[in-house]
Amino acid sequence: MNIGVLYSRIRRDEKLLLSELRERGHEVTKVDVRKLRFDLNEPPAAFEGVDLVVDRCLATSRSTYATRFLDAYGIPVVNSAATAEVCADKVKNSLALAGAGVPTPRTEVAFTKDAALETIEAFGYPCVLKPVIGSWGRLMAKIDSRDAAEAILEHKATLGHYEHKVFYIQEFVEKPGRDIRVLSTDGEPVAAEARSSDHWLTNASKGADATAFELDDEARDLVARASDAVGGGLLGVDLMETGDSYTVHEVNHTVEFKALTEATDVDVPARVVDWLETKVEADSATVTTP
């Protein structure tokens, strides 16, 4: 099969994926999204002959628009444009989880400083203010007091971009110094890690330590339901432990897996390619069936 890898930078994750594909004898077409021009009707020549495209764009804007074009051209892409659209936006992400009955932290959205401050006061301190679009823990704020809330809201309101005027406020979840990242393919867990840190942010990009995590039946069920809620695909489902249960705070559509590969004994790239092969076979069967 010929797998297109849509990228803007080849990181270790992409190198692992490319290596696994080539070792199995698959043809790989690397496509640098920065060099493409997208026509409304005809796909760029770079995609000619590919059976499926894997979106590995770093920038959310490129990922969401490029996958939308690929969908329009009828070129299979993972993750789909619909999944990317939901996962890229924290409001849509939370709405999808809540709508599917997946436990997720209490969240409110406001469009003015005054309304946002009302939400923060109602939630109590601390609570969390997040950007609607963003990753790697960037621009997330743990708000410990009314003074801090007023200052942060003022900063966001004057930053200029309309996204900063959408105030996404979430309750602060007391977690045991860690959260759980599960990489899944269409809801089936591939590998899971606990990301631990003394800081309240436990993102790997913020220096959290990653160790293997054994999922119980409840966590597996939540991963499957969270994946379905956002449209499925190759996803990173983030959970926090809440005593004897869990809450799902986010599902990511351009998931990194190098830390998982190091923290667990799972050959993550191999499992991902297994799934890609299954996707291509299923798509081929659909096309050839009269």
Side-chain angles (χ1 to χ4, degrees):
M1 65 183 184
N2 183 346
I3 296 294
V5 177
L6 187 65
Y7 73 97
S8 53
R9 193 173 72 199
I10 298 292
R11 303 165 294 177
R12 187 162 172 234
D13 304 271
E14 286 72 43
K15 289 179 180 176
L16 291 168
L17 191 58
L18 290 168
S19 176
E20 182 67 26
L21 285 165
R22 286 167 173 152
E23 284 179 8
R24 297 193 188 194
H26 296 307
E27 188 176 349
V28 176
T29 301
K30 293 195 298 180
V31 183
D32 187 343
V33 71
R34 296 168 299 179
K35 298 179 180 177
L36 295 181
R37 294 156 50 206
F38 290 91
D39 181 84
L40 294 180
N41 300 301
E42 297 296 327
F47 294 110
E48 187 175 349
V50 300
D51 296 301
L52 179 145
V53 174
V54 181
D55 168 33
R56 299 296 302 173
C57 292
L58 275 176
T60 298
S61 55
R62 292 168 179 167
S63 173
T64 52
Y65 285 112
T67 53
R68 180 61 64 189
F69 272 104
L70 289 168
D71 268 2
Y73 300 143
I75 298 175
V77 57
V78 291
N79 288 309
S80 71
T83 294
E85 181 179 341
V86 172
C87 291
D89 186 311
K90 288 185 172 56
V91 176
K92 295 176 182 177
N93 208 317
S94 293
L95 282 170
L97 293 172
V102 177
T104 193
R106 184 185 174 196
T107 301
E108 286 191 5
V109 172
F111 301 113
T112 66
K113 291 185 297 179
D114 289 343
L117 192 56
E118 286 180 13
T119 293
I120 291 169
E121 291 277 297
F123 277 13
Y125 301 98
C127 62
V128 179
L129 186 64
K130 299 181 177 180
V132 175
I133 307 291
S135 56
W136 298 325
R138 289 173 175 164
L139 296 178
M140 289 176 58
K142 179 184 174 186
I143 300 176
D144 293 307
S145 68
R146 184 181 177 99
D147 287 345
E150 290 175 342
I152 293 170
L153 293 174
E154 179 69 23
H155 275 82
K156 284 182 67 68
T158 56
L159 281 175
H161 197 283
Y162 80 95
E163 288 172 357
H164 291 297
K165 295 177 175 58
V166 180
F167 300 103
Y168 176 100
I169 303 152
Q170 206 163 61
E171 67 173 330
F172 182 79
V173 177
E174 291 286 357
K175 56 188 179 184
R178 67 182 189 181
D179 72 353
I180 300 159
R181 160 62 61 87
V182 184
L183 186 141
S184 69
T185 51
D186 284 336
E188 180 66 28
V190 171
E193 64 182 358
R195 305 180 298 186
S196 304
S197 174
D198 292 333
H199 197 277
W200 73 277
L201 288 173
T202 48
N203 303 65
S205 59
K206 297 290 185 182
D209 296 322
T211 56
F213 185 84
E214 190 69 29
L215 297 173
D216 58 23
D217 289 343
E218 181 185 358
R220 287 179 172 274
D221 175 64
L222 289 177
V223 168
R225 290 165 56 197
S227 174
D228 286 345
V230 301
L234 174 62
L235 301 170
V237 182
D238 292 343
L239 305 93
M240 290 185 284
E241 296 156 284
T242 55
D244 59 356
S245 189
Y246 304 92
T247 186
V248 179
H249 55 283
E250 197 166 76
V251 183
N252 303 273
H253 73 289
T254 50
V255 60
E256 297 170 316
F257 49 79
K258 59 181 182 297
L260 267 170
T261 303
E262 295 165 356
T264 70
D265 58 2
V266 178
D267 189 339
V268 176
R271 294 285 301 277
V272 171
V273 173
D274 287 344
W275 176 72
L276 293 175
E277 290 172 339
T278 302
K279 296 282 289 182
V280 172
E281 289 174 5
D283 287 344
S284 299
T286 301
V287 170
T288 55
T289 300

